Amino acid sequence: MAMLATTEPNLLEQEYSRIMSYASGMTNDETYACMLSSWQQGAGMMPDDFGLGNDVFGQLITSHYPGLELKSLNMPGRGNDEQRNDEREEVFKLLVGNRANQSESEIWMARIVAMACQGQDHLWQDMGLWSRNQLTELLMRNFPSLASKNVNNMKWKKFLYKQLCITEGIYTCRAPSCEVCADYNNCFGSEE
């Protein structure tokens, strides 16, 4: 598994192992542990409550890692652009409307993905994941009907926003197909 370039691999692995030692065996335990260990190292763009609010963030931690203590990074302003609340809510609704309906964890994950969409890097990096593959797996696991539409392996943040446009009937792309678009590499190029 690739590590985020901005983190110390040994510290990241140690924190991941510590968090996983509290894991409850629920779906998404490993994914949240990756995000939390990256967050503890200051990687990604997630705010202290991951965009869930303190109470719900506490529920996530208690559900997935009973007894785990996390230090607050208290980095004000990370990830929460209040002017983009409507946009974040639209992404959240898109994800929740396509959830697998296996656990409440999917709702928390939808909020986290929607918050991370406000970041400036690739979605997997903004979430504090260690690779794009992890993001693909979490989207397929939590939002399979939506994720399965990404048949051409479009970058996930661009894909989610394109799905919002399609839902609203807005087609801003002028090219007849992605393959002939001048911006093809911006949407489908490497994220590593």
Side-chain angles (χ1 to χ4, degrees), residues 23-36:
S24 63
M26 294 173 61
T27 302
N28 293 321
D29 279 353
E30 291 181 12
T31 303
Y32 286 133
C34 288
M35 290 189 295
L36 289 166

Side-chain angles (χ1 to χ4, degrees), residues 56-130:
V56 176
F57 184 70
Q59 290 173 9
L60 182 149
I61 298 302
T62 301
S63 295
H64 285 273
Y65 315 101
L68 175 66
E69 300 261 337
L70 291 173
K71 66 178 181 179
S72 173
L73 296 180
N74 197 17
M75 291 190 257
R78 276 185 84 180
N80 194 6
D81 182 349
E82 305 252 339
Q83 295 177 345
R84 295 177 67 187
N85 283 346
D86 291 343
E87 172 188 325
R88 189 170 58 245
E89 194 61 24
E90 287 180 31
V91 173
F92 169 73
K93 287 177 183 174
L94 173 69
L95 291 165
V96 167
N98 288 279
R99 65 184 276 233
N101 291 311
Q102 299 297 312
S103 75
E104 184 177 21
S105 184
E106 297 160 0
I107 297 170
W108 299 334
M109 190 64 79
R111 285 260 176 237
I112 292 168
V113 171
M115 173 60 75
C117 280
Q118 294 184 350
Q120 301 302 310
D121 288 322
H122 296 298
L123 184 55
W124 65 272
Q125 293 169 321
D126 288 331
M127 291 179 71
L129 294 172
W130 299 352

Side-chain angles (χ1 to χ4, degrees), residues 9-192:
N10 289 337
L11 294 175
L12 190 63
E13 289 173 2
Q14 289 171 6
E15 185 62 10
Y16 172 80
S17 294
R18 183 183 81 84
I19 293 169
M20 282 303 292
S21 72
Y22 290 90
S24 63
M26 294 173 61
T27 302
N28 293 321
D29 279 353
E30 291 181 12
T31 303
Y32 286 133
C34 288
M35 290 189 295
L36 289 166
S37 58
S38 295
W39 171 73
Q40 291 283 56
Q41 299 298 313
M45 57 70 67
M46 302 306 291
D48 271 2
D49 62 6
F50 277 38
L52 298 170
N54 288 329
D55 291 342
V56 176
F57 184 70
Q59 290 173 9
L60 182 149
I61 298 302
T62 301
S63 295
H64 285 273
Y65 315 101
L68 175 66
E69 300 261 337
L70 291 173
K71 66 178 181 179
S72 173
L73 296 180
N74 197 17
M75 291 190 257
R78 276 185 84 180
N80 194 6
D81 182 349
E82 305 252 339
Q83 295 177 345
R84 295 177 67 187
N85 283 346
D86 291 343
E87 172 188 325
R88 189 170 58 245
E89 194 61 24
E90 287 180 31
V91 173
F92 169 73
K93 287 177 183 174
L94 173 69
L95 291 165
V96 167
N98 288 279
R99 65 184 276 233
N101 291 311
Q102 299 297 312
S103 75
E104 184 177 21
S105 184
E106 297 160 0
I107 297 170
W108 299 334
M109 190 64 79
R111 285 260 176 237
I112 292 168
V113 171
M115 173 60 75
C117 280
Q118 294 184 350
Q120 301 302 310
D121 288 322
H122 296 298
L123 184 55
W124 65 272
Q125 293 169 321
D126 288 331
M127 291 179 71
L129 294 172
W130 299 352
S131 72
R132 184 178 194 268
N133 287 340
Q134 279 186 308
L135 175 60
T136 300
E137 289 168 7
L138 91 77
L139 291 170
M140 291 299 288
R141 181 175 55 250
N142 292 280
F143 318 106
S145 62
L146 178 64
S148 64
K149 292 179 183 177
N150 191 0
V151 295
N152 292 320
N153 204 25
M154 181 180 264
K155 293 177 184 175
W156 284 111
K157 198 180 293 185
K158 291 187 181 295
F159 172 79
L160 292 173
Y161 281 91
K162 183 174 181 176
Q163 295 306 302
L164 287 177
C165 290
I166 290 170
T167 301
E168 295 295 319
I170 302 168
Y171 299 96
T172 58
C173 296
R174 299 181 195 275
S177 72
C178 290
E179 291 77 20
V180 298
C181 180
D183 287 328
Y184 182 86
N185 287 333
N186 290 331
C187 293
F188 294 95
S190 173
E191 292 187 62
E192 302 301 325

